[in-house]
Amino acid sequence: MVTSHRTRSRRLLYVFFGILLLTALPAAAQGASPASRTMTPEDVDSLRRVSEVAISPDGMHIAYTLWVPRDPWKEENGPAWSELHVVGNNGESRPFITGEVSVQDISWTPSGEAIAFRSQREGDDETALYTIALAGGEARRLASHATGIRDYSFNGDGSRLAFLAREEGPDDKLKDKGFNAEVFEENDRFVHIYVQNLAGDSNDEPKALEVEGSATELHWSPAGNRLAVALAPTPRIDDNYTSRKVHVLDADSGEVVTRFDNPGKLGPVAWNPTGTHLAFISAEDANDPSAGRLMVGDVAAGTFENVLPHYPGQVDDLGWLTDTKLVFLGSEGVWTSFGRVGSNGYAHRDLIPAAGNPAWTALSISPNGPRAALIGETPGHPPELFRWVADQEAERLTNSNPVLDEIRLAEQEVVTFEARDGMKIEGLLIRPLDEQEGTRYPLILTVHGGPESHHRNGWLTSYNAPGQLAAAQGYAVFYTNYRGSTGRGVEFSKVSQADPAGAEFEDLIDAVDHLIEIGLVDQDKVGITGGSYGGYASAWGATYFTERFAASVMFVGISAKIAKSGTTDIPNEEYLVHARRWPWEKWDFMMERSPVTYVEQARTPILILHGEEDPRVHPSQSLILYRYLKLVGKTPVRLIWYPGEGHGNRKAAARMDYNRRMMRWFDHYLKGPGGEPPAHDIEWPQMADESDGADDTDDGESEAGE
């Protein structure tokens, strides 16, 4: 069990550092041989993680999905596979559906005899709903729709099913003739609610409910004939972000029984066991950048209240322990907690304290007893499956990356420093592996996006986050939860609004200065990177604050604020929780806070990377910065397009490419010769190995019992 112990990678001794240091190596906890090597890019490529959990109604079994990256050298390039596994009460994990599969949105049937999931399998034109028996065997298709099933929910006894599906589009015969013009934002395809009878020998055809709006999520009441549905005015992402409301519908007629006028953004929704109340996570108001307040609504009255009005953090996930008691996951700065509270707001207490435990990211609670499945990560491992019973400590059940047992990891610690105006700012520092006292190291400052997001004291290494990979190569890596981050209450998350690149960016500069002052960082070898809003920070650091940064890697970032507002698919969200003004209300200010304004003074070598199909931050944001810097000609700049990628890379090859380009850029300008950019091609050792023969492993789909 790895819950309150962490292993210091240099000495492989069990040491608990309280809230100052938390580093874990599963190998030591399991008595494995000492780690002997450092992390490589190939290790980052192959890291697996638990991505969904669902505990059975009796609490004896836990279904989970395992995210498995593809190997484009051996299989078709694409997003990671998602496998289905089940852990029994004995703690042993059993593979159910593995290989080249994509299992998502798992849940248990009400009887607990089978696991339901969405997938597009052989013979499916679109994503369908399947079940697979706990006893094993082949999966059975339960329901399908011409446009695919998006979300689903069973009624209390499993005799009926509700699901969401998008309405069908126009006939494609005209498109086949070349008439493929698109009318922008006037041909929305709404998502409708369907109800289907599952009883009897053959299933009835699903019936569409006539409901105004576009549905995004639904939950059948465990007691009764009602559906809780999140409805937005249109299916556009902007409305999904800002305007979804919780409705309670009659499952036969579609009549609206109750509508909760929840403000701003909306998170998860859950019924209590008797169907009298709904709990949901909502924003505090329309300008709250994140859904993080725990609300409980009375279905009969149509009223709701914030049951944790003074909670200093952010509620991330929830479930009902009993008819009047809730459990929830909460972010509290860089920590997360697992707590309980009465539906009336009383008796709040921690079931698992925040500091010193894994960072929890998902929760599934059993309706028949105080048992829960959790997804948790630590500085020593990516997300894994944990089990909690009553008031015991959470028990880790999976070790999805045994390769980490042989890798030496650097120390990770929580750092709190004082910004120039006196505000306390938190960050997470990964120290250089094999750090020598008195030596100064190059720094990679990693900036999260949003800014309605935050870094947790968990696993901080991925294809676009240098983390342990950079630490193994002699870098210090720092992650700052600058003002505007979530996890510290609504006021803290709002304090940076209407001031882009203002005090929030001063927090980043103050973080760098703090690391220089304590003697860790070489002030002439500081790099900055991040995606989305973190990409904006990377562009701002390379232009406005060019004298502070020796290298920058900008990913799907913002460079021209006026154009950003006019090209994004979330303009209202941008206005409500970020800018708080329209560009035409203050053109000069928007230009003043745009990195492109300062291209003439820029001297920081910048690598710019962007998905060509990004709807959130239009690719032109990267193109314009690249073009202007290239025309000025005073600093190295390179632009990388990723065809078929959006706001972040999903496919394996694009992730692998990004990781290597990022690290090569930093190596060249923070540790290497600098000057002209490194070669634009990447040398792949795997290309030389392709002629060694085909891989003879079976990568096909397999199911339990076959």
Side-chain angles (χ1 to χ4, degrees):
M1 181 169 62
V2 183
T3 54
S4 60
H5 292 84
R6 299 294 182 268
T7 306
R8 193 171 181 176
S9 57
R10 289 184 186 173
R11 302 173 184 172
L12 297 174
L13 297 175
Y14 288 105
V15 182
F16 180 69
F17 286 83
I19 65 170
L20 296 178
L21 178 62
L22 186 66
T23 304
L25 284 179
Q30 297 168 8
S33 59
S36 59
R37 65 177 183 87
T38 58
M39 182 165 283
T40 68
E42 290 72 26
D43 294 321
V44 178
D45 298 339
S46 64
L47 288 174
R48 303 180 174 201
R49 66 172 185 259
V50 172
S51 52
E52 292 182 54
V53 291
I55 194 167
S56 61
D58 62 5
M60 296 295 105
H61 295 83
I62 300 171
Y64 69 94
T65 56
L66 183 65
W67 190 87
V68 181
R70 299 196 198 199
D71 183 348
W73 305 106
K74 298 179 180 179
E75 55 191 336
E76 184 180 358
N77 182 39
W81 303 115
S82 182
E83 300 181 341
L84 175 65
H85 298 252
V86 178
V87 172
N89 196 44
N90 59 3
E92 295 182 3
S93 183
R94 175 185 170 194
F96 264 57
I97 303 176
T98 61
E100 297 180 356
V101 296
S102 180
V103 174
Q104 55 188 318
D105 292 341
I106 58 172
S107 71
W108 291 83
T109 58
S111 67
E113 296 177 353
I115 303 155
F117 62 93
R118 294 193 308 121
S119 185
Q120 185 174 353
R121 296 157 66 90
E122 185 176 355
D124 291 332
D125 293 328
E126 299 288 345
T127 300
L129 179 64
Y130 286 84
T131 59
I132 186 168
L134 178 61
E138 294 187 9
R140 179 176 71 93
R141 187 166 67 182
L142 187 66
S144 62
H145 189 271
T147 62
I149 291 179
R150 291 180 165 231
D151 193 14
Y152 67 93
S153 183
F154 296 98
N155 73 337
D157 63 8
S159 62
R160 302 179 76 190
L161 170 73
F163 66 85
L164 303 182
R166 187 172 62 172
E167 63 187 4
E168 296 187 51
D171 195 316
D172 287 336
K173 291 180 180 178
L174 280 174
K175 288 187 177 181
D176 294 339
K177 298 291 185 180
F179 297 94
N180 55 2
E182 296 183 9
V183 182
F184 186 62
E185 291 188 349
E186 291 187 33
N187 57 347
D188 295 327
R189 293 169 61 187
F190 280 65
V191 177
H192 298 302
I193 305 161
Y194 295 83
V195 176
Q196 184 170 353
N197 180 28
L198 300 179
D201 296 333
S202 60
N203 298 340
D204 293 338
E205 286 297 312
K207 171 190 173 183
L209 300 183
E210 296 295 329
V211 179
E212 186 176 349
S214 187
T216 58
E217 126 180 54
L218 83 167
H219 306 272
W220 205 307
S221 171
N225 194 38
R226 292 177 175 179
L227 296 169
V229 184
L231 290 170
T234 75
R236 298 173 199 166
I237 188 66
D238 208 9
D239 280 341
N240 285 330
Y241 269 31
T242 64
S243 305
R244 292 192 303 149
K245 305 296 182 183
V246 180
H247 294 67
V248 178
L249 311 178
D250 182 280
D252 292 321
S253 65
E255 179 185 353
V256 176
V257 177
T258 303
R259 179 183 185 273
F260 294 105
D261 193 20
N262 49 280
K265 295 184 177 181
L266 176 66
V269 179
W271 287 97
N272 74 336
T274 57
T276 59
H277 289 76
L278 277 169
F280 53 90
I281 301 174
S282 169
E284 184 173 89
D285 53 45
N287 302 122
D288 186 347
S290 180
R293 305 299 101 192
L294 181 56
M295 310 291 190
V296 173
D298 185 316
V299 173
T303 58
F304 64 94
E305 63 176 339
N306 183 351
V307 298
L308 290 172
H310 305 297
Y311 185 57
Q314 169 181 292
V315 178
D316 299 317
D317 205 353
L318 78 164
W320 287 90
L321 190 62
T322 68
D323 209 41
T324 58
K325 293 180 181 178
L326 288 152
V327 291
F328 67 94
L329 299 182
S331 292
E332 300 175 11
V334 299
W335 308 99
T336 62
S337 66
F338 177 38
R340 186 190 74 189
V341 66
S343 58
N344 57 4
Y346 294 102
H348 172 212
R349 75 179 183 93
D350 286 339
L351 300 174
I352 302 176
N357 281 295
W360 308 115
T361 58
L363 163 71
S364 176
I365 191 78
S366 169
N368 294 328
R371 289 172 171 258
L374 300 161
I375 297 178
E377 60 183 78
T378 75
H381 65 75
E384 297 283 7
L385 172 63
F386 288 74
R387 177 173 58 196
W388 173 84
V389 179
D391 291 325
Q392 301 175 21
E393 293 184 348
E395 175 188 8
R396 179 177 167 184
L397 298 177
T398 57
N399 181 18
S400 305
N401 297 286
V403 67
L404 291 176
D405 298 349
E406 61 190 56
I407 296 174
R408 293 190 300 119
L409 299 181
E411 295 176 1
Q412 180 171 311
E413 64 184 76
V414 178
V415 173
T416 302
F417 62 93
E418 192 171 284
R420 63 192 65 186
D421 63 356
M423 182 174 286
K424 298 293 184 183
I425 303 296
E426 287 183 324
L428 293 161
L429 171 65
I430 302 180
R431 290 184 170 274
L433 189 64
D434 299 327
E435 177 187 349
Q436 300 295 315
E437 187 175 353
T439 300
R440 290 186 178 270
Y441 293 88
L443 169 70
I444 300 176
L445 182 68
T446 305
V447 186
H448 68 70
E452 65 274 23
S453 179
H454 66 278
H455 296 295
R456 299 183 179 91
N457 192 21
W459 183 255
L460 296 174
T461 306
S462 66
Y463 81 96
N464 64 341
Q468 291 288 343
L469 178 63
Q473 298 175 17
Y475 291 94
V477 188
F478 197 67
Y479 301 77
T480 310
N481 285 339
Y482 52 90
R483 69 191 70 196
S485 301
T486 51
R488 289 180 59 178
V490 177
E491 182 179 356
F492 186 83
S493 67
K494 284 184 176 181
V495 74
S496 67
Q497 290 179 354
D499 188 27
E504 63 188 13
F505 200 90
E506 292 175 351
D507 291 345
L508 300 177
I509 297 296
D510 292 343
V512 174
D513 287 341
H514 173 76
L515 298 175
I516 293 171
E517 289 169 7
I518 65 175
L520 177 65
V521 167
D522 184 338
Q523 65 180 359
D524 296 324
K525 297 180 179 180
V526 178
I528 183 170
T529 189
S532 194
Y533 203 82
Y536 171 54
S538 302
W540 190 251
T543 55
Y544 184 86
F545 273 109
T546 188
E547 77 282 357
R548 296 304 307 266
F549 295 97
S552 174
V553 176
M554 169 189 175
F555 188 36
V556 294
I558 303 154
S559 67
K561 296 291 287 183
I562 292 173
K564 198 273 185 182
S565 298
T567 56
T568 182
D569 62 351
I570 52 169
N572 287 299
E573 196 263 357
E574 169 83 10
Y575 169 77
L576 288 168
V577 304
H578 298 146
R580 300 295 293 272
R581 61 170 65 92
W582 297 110
W584 51 87
E585 294 174 343
K586 211 167 185 181
W587 294 111
D588 291 345
F589 178 79
M590 290 295 188
M591 286 301 300
E592 176 191 320
R593 299 301 173 92
S594 295
V596 293
T597 302
Y598 307 97
V599 291
E600 290 181 275
Q601 72 182 36
R603 299 295 185 273
T604 302
I606 181 169
L607 175 65
I608 305 170
L609 310 100
H610 213 125
E612 281 192 327
E613 298 179 13
D614 186 353
R616 198 78 9 93
V617 177
H618 196 273
S620 60
Q621 289 288 309
S622 287
L623 178 59
I624 191 172
L625 181 61
Y626 166 80
R627 186 65 73 203
Y628 286 177
L629 288 171
K630 200 74 173 177
L631 290 171
V632 171
K634 293 181 179 179
T635 191
V637 57
R638 174 171 290 161
L639 173 61
I640 306 295
W641 292 131
Y642 288 108
E645 297 290 358
H647 198 57
N649 292 350
R650 297 177 64 246
K651 297 178 182 177
R655 286 172 170 251
M656 294 165 66
D657 181 273
Y658 182 98
N659 184 263
R660 285 152 180 80
R661 291 188 187 278
M662 171 183 66
M663 291 309 304
R664 186 173 63 174
W665 196 263
F666 284 133
D667 287 345
H668 188 75
Y669 289 107
L670 299 184
K671 294 167 59 178
E676 292 298 314
H680 62 266
D681 290 332
I682 293 177
E683 294 184 5
W684 296 97
Q686 293 92 335
M687 289 295 292
D689 298 335
E690 278 199 335
S691 60
D692 291 347
D695 180 42
D696 59 1
T697 58
D698 181 9
D699 290 329
E701 180 178 328
S702 64
E703 296 189 354
E706 286 191 278

